[in-house]
PDB file of all heavy atoms in Angstrom:
ATOM      1  N   ILE B 191     -16.002   5.854  10.452  1.00  0.00           N
ATOM      2  CA  ILE B 191     -16.909   6.697   9.661  1.00  0.00           C
ATOM      3  C   ILE B 191     -18.318   6.745  10.264  1.00  0.00           C
ATOM      4  O   ILE B 191     -19.230   7.297   9.659  1.00  0.00           O
ATOM      5  CB  ILE B 191     -16.978   6.239   8.180  1.00  0.00           C
ATOM      6  CG1 ILE B 191     -17.340   4.770   8.085  1.00  0.00           C
ATOM      7  CG2 ILE B 191     -15.666   6.491   7.467  1.00  0.00           C
ATOM      8  CD1 ILE B 191     -17.586   4.321   6.654  1.00  0.00           C
ATOM      9  N   PRO B 202     -10.344  16.055  23.878  1.00  0.00           N
ATOM     10  CA  PRO B 202      -9.949  14.716  24.324  1.00  0.00           C
ATOM     11  C   PRO B 202     -10.561  14.385  25.685  1.00  0.00           C
ATOM     12  O   PRO B 202     -10.574  15.230  26.578  1.00  0.00           O
ATOM     13  CB  PRO B 202      -8.421  14.818  24.428  1.00  0.00           C
ATOM     14  CG  PRO B 202      -8.063  15.863  23.443  1.00  0.00           C
ATOM     15  CD  PRO B 202      -9.195  16.851  23.467  1.00  0.00           C
ATOM     16  N   LEU B 213     -18.743  15.812  12.912  1.00  0.00           N
ATOM     17  CA  LEU B 213     -19.840  14.862  12.745  1.00  0.00           C
ATOM     18  C   LEU B 213     -19.862  13.846  13.887  1.00  0.00           C
ATOM     19  O   LEU B 213     -20.542  12.834  13.809  1.00  0.00           O
ATOM     20  CB  LEU B 213     -19.710  14.132  11.398  1.00  0.00           C
ATOM     21  CG  LEU B 213     -19.738  15.054  10.174  1.00  0.00           C
ATOM     22  CD1 LEU B 213     -19.390  14.283   8.910  1.00  0.00           C
ATOM     23  CD2 LEU B 213     -21.108  15.700  10.031  1.00  0.00           C
ATOM     24  N   LEU B 260      20.273   8.816 -23.120  1.00  0.00           N
ATOM     25  CA  LEU B 260      18.836   8.946 -23.333  1.00  0.00           C
ATOM     26  C   LEU B 260      18.077   8.782 -22.018  1.00  0.00           C
ATOM     27  O   LEU B 260      17.176   9.572 -21.685  1.00  0.00           O
ATOM     28  CB  LEU B 260      18.395   7.867 -24.331  1.00  0.00           C
ATOM     29  CG  LEU B 260      17.198   8.207 -25.200  1.00  0.00           C
ATOM     30  CD1 LEU B 260      17.542   9.353 -26.129  1.00  0.00           C
ATOM     31  CD2 LEU B 260      16.751   6.982 -25.976  1.00  0.00           C
ATOM     32  N   ILE B 336      22.558 -11.757 -10.463  1.00  0.00           N
ATOM     33  CA  ILE B 336      23.262 -12.350  -9.323  1.00  0.00           C
ATOM     34  C   ILE B 336      24.212 -11.363  -8.658  1.00  0.00           C
ATOM     35  O   ILE B 336      24.454 -11.441  -7.459  1.00  0.00           O
ATOM     36  CB  ILE B 336      24.012 -13.616  -9.792  1.00  0.00           C
ATOM     37  CG1 ILE B 336      22.989 -14.563 -10.397  1.00  0.00           C
ATOM     38  CG2 ILE B 336      24.782 -14.245  -8.645  1.00  0.00           C
ATOM     39  CD1 ILE B 336      23.288 -15.998 -10.271  1.00  0.00           C
ATOM     40  N   PRO B 376     -11.074   7.912   6.109  1.00  0.00           N
ATOM     41  CA  PRO B 376     -10.188   8.687   6.970  1.00  0.00           C
ATOM     42  C   PRO B 376      -8.752   8.686   6.452  1.00  0.00           C
ATOM     43  O   PRO B 376      -8.214   7.637   6.113  1.00  0.00           O
ATOM     44  CB  PRO B 376     -10.272   7.949   8.309  1.00  0.00           C
ATOM     45  CG  PRO B 376     -10.659   6.559   7.963  1.00  0.00           C
ATOM     46  CD  PRO B 376     -11.397   6.592   6.661  1.00  0.00           C
ATOM     47  N   LYS B 424      29.990   5.520   4.151  1.00  0.00           N
ATOM     48  CA  LYS B 424      30.547   6.605   3.342  1.00  0.00           C
ATOM     49  C   LYS B 424      29.506   7.665   3.025  1.00  0.00           C
ATOM     50  O   LYS B 424      29.823   8.823   2.783  1.00  0.00           O
ATOM     51  CB  LYS B 424      31.099   6.050   2.020  1.00  0.00           C
ATOM     52  CG  LYS B 424      32.522   5.546   2.133  1.00  0.00           C
ATOM     53  CD  LYS B 424      32.999   5.065   0.791  1.00  0.00           C
ATOM     54  CE  LYS B 424      32.100   3.969   0.279  1.00  0.00           C
ATOM     55  NZ  LYS B 424      32.604   3.189  -0.811  1.00  0.00           N
TER      56      LYS B 424
END
Side-chain angles (χ1 to χ4, degrees):
Chain B
I191 54 173
L213 300 171
L260 210 66
I336 302 210
K424 274 182 301 195

